[in-house]
Amino acid sequence: MYKRCQADGRTVKGRRCTCGSDRRIVWAWRVDVAGPGEPRRTKGGSGLASRGEAVEAMRKAATAAESGVPEPSTLTLAQWSEQWLPAVQGKVRGGTWRGYEGAMRNHLLPRLGAVQLRRLTLAQIEAAYADLLVAVKTRHNLHLTLHRCLADAVRNDLLVKNPADGAHRLTRGSRPEMKVWDRDQLRAFLDHVAGSDLAALWRLLALSGMRRGEALGLQRDDLHLDAGFVTVRRTRSRGLAGWAIGPTKNGKARRVALDAGTCQELREHLSRQVVITMEGILFADAAGRPLDPDGVSGAFERLVRESGLPRIRLHDLRHTAATLMLAGGANPKVVSERLGHSSVQVTMDIYAHVLPGMQEEAADALAATVDAGTKVVSA
């Protein structure tokens, strides 16, 4: 420990610097934090008002070094992202990586890129989010990117803690509006598309709740129509070089039961297929090539306009299936498994709008059961 002059930075041995400056003298410290057998490595600080403060700061530095607590990195967020994006590229799906890259390049780095990781604060992150002129869900996706980026910095000993913790949360009321059809509207749509080339696809999506990519990733071997189910093993999603087949969203295969009408529709679809490739793609074009997912969504939108039904997205067929299942009294656990959600809580959070009616029906059913067994005693 030693004293320094604030005017010229030189070491002071007495009460006053030899330069004659009237600026106050401060305490500084430096300590060797290298482990046994390691090359000398020091850490220090300055600007402390008393010897006691210098002693405490030096003690904390030595204790942190002995306990292995990482020293914050001097890298900026932009510099770290140049390392992080290539490192994470092979660990996530192509579409996810493209989202990470776009989020960093277009939104996060222009606002936070010049900030050192060790100086990045929760307040700065929240201010950057507030400056974004984007939808709430988009802001949430940007937060997920930054949080993952900084979490990996923590794992790489560049940060002690993640400054993005608690910076944003997508509340239930801020989720994008969900539009669904009722039972009669869904039946009208299926009647409208009956006999079309993709009639089996529309019915499968509408009654199974499968994701678009999951249905387009099906192969003939995934169908077990005599047993009445299909195995979802893969999904067709956008990768770095275009659309590609990959694992499901949660990386797990699942079995989805099919009704008799859907099984029959799929049998008719199989009988009409002219070109069968080695992969046995279920929904393909005339040359046996996989269908373009965006083209399928566009075809759905055209059919909806032709039908005169309320406009919904293709993904809303999945929401429609889930809502009708829950409203019809299906066990939420079963619905969650059919949809491929990570937990039943995810299902209940997304479809909370169905719960009030379900609770009323459950209350009435319980009361009817109890009241039916009540003995009426005559006076």
Side-chain angles (χ1 to χ4, degrees), residues 190-200 202 265 268 272:
L190 294 179
D191 288 342
H192 178 73
V193 299
S196 64
D197 292 341
L198 294 179
W202 308 132
E265 196 76 61
E268 295 175 5
R272 292 194 299 268

Side-chain angles (χ1 to χ4, degrees), residues 72-93:
S73 170
T74 58
L75 288 174
T76 64
L77 179 62
Q79 291 170 331
W80 167 238
S81 71
E82 291 176 359
Q83 300 178 31
W84 175 69
L85 284 171
V88 79
Q89 184 171 337
K91 300 177 182 178
V92 297
R93 292 162 57 181

Side-chain angles (χ1 to χ4, degrees), residues 157-189:
D157 291 343
L158 300 177
L159 286 173
V160 175
K161 63 172 295 185
N162 191 333
D165 285 342
H168 180 75
R169 182 174 180 272
L170 186 63
T171 60
R172 180 176 297 168
S174 62
R175 292 183 181 275
E177 182 182 1
M178 184 188 302
K179 296 180 180 180
V180 298
W181 283 334
D182 60 28
R183 181 184 57 188
D184 293 337
Q185 290 169 330
L186 180 57
R187 183 186 299 115
F189 174 75

Side-chain angles (χ1 to χ4, degrees), residues 176-182 185-186 189 202 205-207 209-212 297 300-301 304 310-324 339 350-351 353:
E177 182 182 1
M178 184 188 302
K179 296 180 180 180
V180 298
W181 283 334
D182 60 28
Q185 290 169 330
L186 180 57
F189 174 75
W202 308 132
L205 290 170
L207 298 186
M210 291 170 58
R211 300 177 177 91
R212 177 187 69 175
S297 292
F300 175 78
E301 292 173 2
V304 172
R311 297 278 294 278
I312 66 171
R313 304 167 303 161
L314 180 59
H315 191 70
D316 289 327
L317 275 186
R318 174 174 165 85
H319 293 320
T320 296
T323 300
L324 291 178
L339 297 175
I350 296 174
Y351 302 105
H353 63 287

Side-chain angles (χ1 to χ4, degrees), residues 193-197 199-201 203 220 223 225 260-274 282-283:
V193 299
S196 64
D197 292 341
L201 173 61
R203 183 178 178 95
R220 296 169 71 97
L223 299 181
L225 300 182
T262 301
C263 288
Q264 181 58 35
E265 196 76 61
L266 287 169
R267 288 191 183 94
E268 295 175 5
H269 175 80
L270 291 174
S271 68
R272 292 194 299 268
Q273 276 193 314
V274 178
L282 181 58
F283 297 108

Side-chain angles (χ1 to χ4, degrees), residues 290-341:
L291 296 177
D292 177 84
D294 287 340
V296 170
S297 292
F300 175 78
E301 292 173 2
R302 288 192 297 272
L303 290 169
V304 172
R305 286 197 299 269
E306 294 172 0
S307 69
L309 292 165
R311 297 278 294 278
I312 66 171
R313 304 167 303 161
L314 180 59
H315 191 70
D316 289 327
L317 275 186
R318 174 174 165 85
H319 293 320
T320 296
T323 300
L324 291 178
M325 283 188 285
L326 289 170
N331 188 314
K333 174 66 173 173
V334 174
V335 175
S336 179
E337 292 172 352
R338 284 179 66 81
L339 297 175
H341 284 161

Side-chain angles (χ1 to χ4, degrees), residues 121-178:
T121 65
L122 175 63
Q124 286 177 308
I125 293 172
E126 290 179 330
Y129 289 168
D131 186 50
L132 293 168
L133 300 178
V134 295
V136 174
K137 184 62 167 64
T138 301
R139 183 180 295 113
H140 180 67
N141 291 339
L142 294 174
H143 167 68
L144 295 179
T145 298
L146 182 60
H147 191 277
R148 169 70 186 270
C149 175
L150 296 177
D152 286 346
V154 173
R155 280 192 286 272
N156 281 273
D157 291 343
L158 300 177
L159 286 173
V160 175
K161 63 172 295 185
N162 191 333
D165 285 342
H168 180 75
R169 182 174 180 272
L170 186 63
T171 60
R172 180 176 297 168
S174 62
R175 292 183 181 275
E177 182 182 1
M178 184 188 302

